[in-house]
Amino acid sequence: MTSREKEILNRIKENPLISQQKLADQLKINRSSVAVHIGNLMKKGYIKGKGYIVEEEKKALIIGGANIDLEGSPCQELKFYDSNPGRIETSQGGVGRNIAENLARLSIPVRFLTALGEDLYGEKIFKEGQRQGMDMDHVLRSGEYPTSMYLSLMDEKNDMRAAISQMDILTLMDPNWLKKKKFLFKDASVICIDGNLTKEAVDYIVKEAGETPIFADPVSTSKIQVFEDVLEKIHTFKPNRREAEKLLGMTLNTLDQVRKAGERFLDKGISHIYISLGEDGVYTRSKDFEAVITGKPPIFNSATGAGDAFMAGVIYGFLQKTTTEETLKFAMGAAFKTLSSEHTIHPNFSGEEVIKSLNSNEFIITYF
C-alpha cells in the first residue's frame, strides 16, 4: 500500500460515506486521482462492504468489435507498390475491445458484448478478456465466420496509411440477438458502442437503452454513417477530424471550422463532443464548456490505440463525476501513455500510470 493509499484509507475509516470530491478537497488533489487510489484499494481488498463501495459500483457495458490486429511498419520511408523491409506484429484489437480493456485496467467493472469465431484467435481474445477482469460471459461465439481481423500499414512515422478489416462476424450481433441481452442495458451506468456494429444494431441499442447514457466511437469514415440518424440519442461522441467532416459534410481545416462543427453536433442533440485533431490535439464542447487541449508526448512509438485509451479516459471521468476539464486532462494522459508504447494497449496501463503521465507531460488548454 502506498502512502497516499494509506492516507485515503484512514480517512475512509473515519467516515465511510465520505465523497470522492471531499477526499480530493482535503488532500488537495484531483478527484480523478482519488478515484484511481480507491480503485487500487478495492483491488487489493482493503475496502469491502457497502458503506463506501456503493458509490464505486458503476458498470460499463461495451458493445463493439474485437479482432486480431496485424500491424506492418517499414524500416525506412514507406513505398507503395513495392515490398518494404520492416516488422509485422500481431496483437489483440478492436475499438470496443480496446476501450473495454483500458477501462478494466482503470478498475471499472466492464461487461463486453462482441462476436468471436470458434477458432484459436477467438479463444485467445476470450481468455485474455477474462484475464484482464472483463465480464465475457455474454460474448457471441459462432463457427459461421472467423474471428475478425484488422490489417494496418504504418508509415515511417508510425502513423497509419491504410488498413483492411474483415469483420463479417459482427453482423451476427443483430437486433434479434441483442434482444436477448437487453436486460444488461439496465444494469449499466453507461453504454459504449463503436462503428463496427451494423446500423440495425446501433438503432436497436439506442432505442432500448432508455435513460442509460450512450457513448459512441465511429471507428472510421466508412462506418460513421451508422450514427447519422441517432445523434440526438448519443450522450458523448468521439470522431476524428475526417470522420466529423464526412458526417457533417463540411471541411475542418481551421479551428473556426472545428468550432462550427462542435456547435452543429450540439444542435443535433449530442451532450458532449470530442473531435480528435491529430497533432493539433483534441477539441471538446458541451453546453457550458468549450476548449482545445494540446501537448507533445516526450515518447512516441505508435498512434494505434491512443484514441481508444482517450475514450476510456472520458468514460472513466464520466463515471467518477469529475469536471469536464479534469476528464479532458485524464483522457489526454491516457492517450499519451498509450502513445509511448508499441502496443495497442500499454502493457503497464493503469490509473496510477495515467496520473504519472499527467504529471510528466505538459498540456495546454485553450478555452473559448
Side-chain angles (χ1 to χ4, degrees):
M1 188 191 308
T2 66
S3 59
R4 179 65 82 184
E5 289 171 358
K6 186 178 296 184
E7 187 177 11
I8 290 176
L9 182 59
N10 288 334
R11 292 177 184 266
I12 290 175
K13 287 179 178 178
E14 294 173 359
N15 180 9
L17 298 178
I18 190 172
S19 69
Q20 289 185 7
Q21 187 58 60
K22 191 167 183 178
L23 280 169
D25 293 340
Q26 291 179 358
L27 300 174
K28 294 182 172 53
I29 59 177
N30 290 333
R31 179 171 177 169
S32 56
S33 299
V34 171
V36 167
H37 293 308
I38 288 175
N40 291 332
L41 287 168
M42 291 170 63
K43 285 169 49 175
K44 295 175 182 178
Y46 288 107
I47 300 178
K48 296 180 180 180
K50 292 293 180 180
Y52 184 79
I53 300 304
V54 168
E55 188 179 19
E56 305 307 315
E57 293 182 336
K58 301 169 182 176
K59 299 179 181 178
L61 175 62
I62 313 299
I63 311 176
N67 48 260
I68 293 296
D69 286 342
L70 286 86
E71 180 181 296
S73 302
C75 294
Q76 300 175 344
E77 182 180 354
L78 178 65
K79 296 180 180 179
F80 287 97
Y81 311 106
D82 199 0
S83 177
N84 292 262
R87 58 180 175 80
I88 299 175
E89 293 191 353
T90 302
S91 62
Q92 297 183 42
V95 170
R97 198 212 69 86
N98 293 343
I99 293 172
E101 181 175 336
N102 280 315
L103 282 171
R105 287 171 173 265
L106 292 172
S107 300
I108 295 295
V110 176
R111 178 173 284 136
F112 184 37
L113 292 186
T114 192
L116 299 174
E118 294 177 345
D119 49 34
L120 291 176
Y121 283 150
E123 190 65 15
K124 182 177 182 179
I125 292 174
F126 186 85
K127 289 185 177 180
E128 178 62 18
Q130 289 183 321
R131 191 180 74 84
Q132 294 296 339
M134 296 152 55
D135 183 345
M136 306 287 286
D137 290 348
H138 299 275
V139 168
L140 187 158
R141 301 297 298 270
S142 173
E144 184 175 351
Y145 298 104
T147 297
S148 297
M149 299 186 71
Y150 179 83
L151 173 64
S152 60
L153 180 62
M154 315 300 283
D155 63 17
E156 64 281 0
K157 297 180 181 179
N158 278 325
D159 281 332
M160 188 185 73
R161 297 298 300 274
I164 298 175
S165 62
Q166 179 187 3
M167 297 185 167
D168 297 334
I169 195 169
L170 294 182
T171 61
L172 299 180
M173 298 172 64
D174 58 19
N176 289 329
W177 182 80
L178 287 167
K179 186 176 181 180
K180 302 173 185 177
K181 307 298 179 181
K182 188 175 70 171
F183 69 95
L184 299 175
F185 296 3
K186 296 181 180 179
D187 192 37
S189 300
V190 61
I191 298 174
C192 179
I193 57 179
D194 72 27
N196 290 312
L197 300 171
T198 64
K199 177 170 173 49
E200 291 75 19
V202 169
D203 290 346
Y204 179 84
I205 293 167
V206 299
K207 178 183 177 182
E208 300 296 336
E211 298 299 319
T212 305
I214 294 178
F215 287 53
D217 190 312
V219 177
S220 68
T221 57
S222 63
K223 298 179 178 181
I224 197 169
Q225 298 305 130
V226 301
F227 298 107
E228 185 175 17
D229 301 328
V230 297
L231 291 177
E232 74 279 1
K233 298 180 180 179
I234 292 176
H235 179 279
T236 298
F237 198 48
K238 192 196 72 64
N240 62 28
R241 189 198 305 261
R242 300 310 168 205
E243 292 161 355
E245 287 180 336
K246 178 70 176 292
L247 192 58
L248 296 178
M250 60 185 293
T251 57
L252 304 183
N253 295 328
T254 68
L255 183 55
D256 285 342
Q257 290 172 330
V258 172
R259 294 185 66 194
K260 182 63 176 178
E263 181 179 352
R264 288 184 59 181
F265 275 119
L266 261 61
D267 289 343
K268 290 180 179 291
I270 290 176
S271 297
H272 291 262
I273 181 72
Y274 293 88
I275 303 177
S276 174
L277 305 174
E279 294 181 352
D280 296 326
V282 176
Y283 168 85
T284 184
R285 185 165 186 173
S286 61
K287 182 179 179 181
D288 54 3
F289 187 88
E290 184 184 16
V292 171
I293 186 169
T294 57
K296 186 174 182 179
I299 302 175
F300 178 85
N301 277 304
S302 175
T304 304
D308 305 333
F310 184 94
M311 179 60 116
V314 169
I315 295 173
Y316 179 86
F318 174 81
L319 291 176
Q320 300 301 335
K321 298 181 180 179
T322 60
T323 66
T324 304
E325 180 178 340
E326 288 179 331
T327 296
L328 183 62
K329 290 180 179 178
F330 187 87
M332 202 67 165
F336 270 35
K337 182 65 180 178
T338 304
L339 288 171
S340 68
S341 172
E342 295 180 352
H343 303 282
T344 304
I345 294 179
H346 197 292
N348 297 326
F349 189 88
S350 67
E352 288 181 337
E353 290 298 319
V354 172
I355 297 300
K356 289 180 182 178
S357 178
L358 284 172
N359 294 334
S360 61
N361 290 286
E362 183 178 349
F363 300 116
I364 299 175
I365 299 182
T366 302
Y367 304 93
F368 301 100

